[in-house]
Amino acid sequence: MKGFRNTKVVGFVLGLALVTLIPAATPWCVHVQSQMNPSQELLVHCKSGDDDLGAQSMGNGNELKWCFNTNIIGTTLFWCYLASNNPVKWVSFNSFLDIGTFYNKCSNGDCFWVANDSGIWLWNGPVSKYEHWYEWRQGR
């Protein structure tokens, strides 16, 4: 009986050690805001391998925001397709990738993207400024 009790204690200690070694899922929010010409609608369609947020049309000043927890193996990825007309232009980009680049640029668990006539911009929280990340592609 004593050996069985020791096995339980060892199992408990090993389980506790594993829980402390595996990183917890991290909560994040991604924001995509339209700052396009007021006469232009922005089509936004964002998704991951597990979640499809659907296509949405946004006017100037509107924002799409979603929150999620990263997975424990560090493979969380969201991407977005944005399109506008007049002139017709589009872009497809990674809006969140579970790597240091996003951890270092995004602040306090929030990634802020802005789409304007000159491209797609990411807010770099530590230096308090937007950085140009993606160019629009012309045509369909």
Side-chain angles (χ1 to χ4, degrees):
M1 191 65 131
K2 187 174 183 177
F4 180 69
R5 191 175 325 133
N6 287 342
T7 303
K8 281 178 143 179
V9 170
V10 168
F12 175 77
V13 170
L14 285 175
L16 189 59
L18 279 176
V19 167
T20 59
L21 290 175
I22 296 174
T26 306
W28 284 92
C29 291
V30 175
H31 309 252
V32 177
Q33 184 183 55
S34 173
Q35 290 184 5
M36 302 294 288
N37 182 315
S39 65
Q40 290 183 339
E41 287 289 314
L42 182 67
L43 173 71
V44 179
H45 189 179
C46 298
K47 59 184 177 176
S48 72
D50 299 322
D51 299 301
D52 187 337
L53 305 177
Q56 301 178 38
S57 184
M58 297 190 324
N60 184 34
N62 291 88
E63 177 183 277
L64 171 64
K65 173 186 173 187
W66 69 97
C67 298
F68 55 92
N69 288 321
T70 58
N71 61 40
I72 61 172
I73 57 174
T75 60
T76 303
L77 166 66
F78 276 90
W79 64 94
C80 295
Y81 170 82
L82 279 58
S84 184
N85 56 7
N86 197 19
V88 175
K89 53 190 171 187
W90 63 275
V91 66
S92 183
F93 66 97
N94 293 337
S95 54
F96 182 85
L97 186 57
D98 200 355
I99 59 173
T101 303
F102 284 96
Y103 293 155
N104 295 334
K105 302 278 183 186
C106 300
S107 55
N108 300 319
D110 285 288
C111 290
F112 293 94
W113 293 96
V114 166
N116 63 27
D117 293 324
S118 63
I120 311 303
W121 301 72
L122 176 64
W123 178 253
N124 183 338
V127 297
S128 297
K129 73 175 190 173
Y130 278 100
E131 295 178 348
H132 188 254
W133 273 50
Y134 300 101
E135 295 286 335
W136 289 106
R137 296 176 147 218
Q138 301 300 315
R140 294 197 185 268

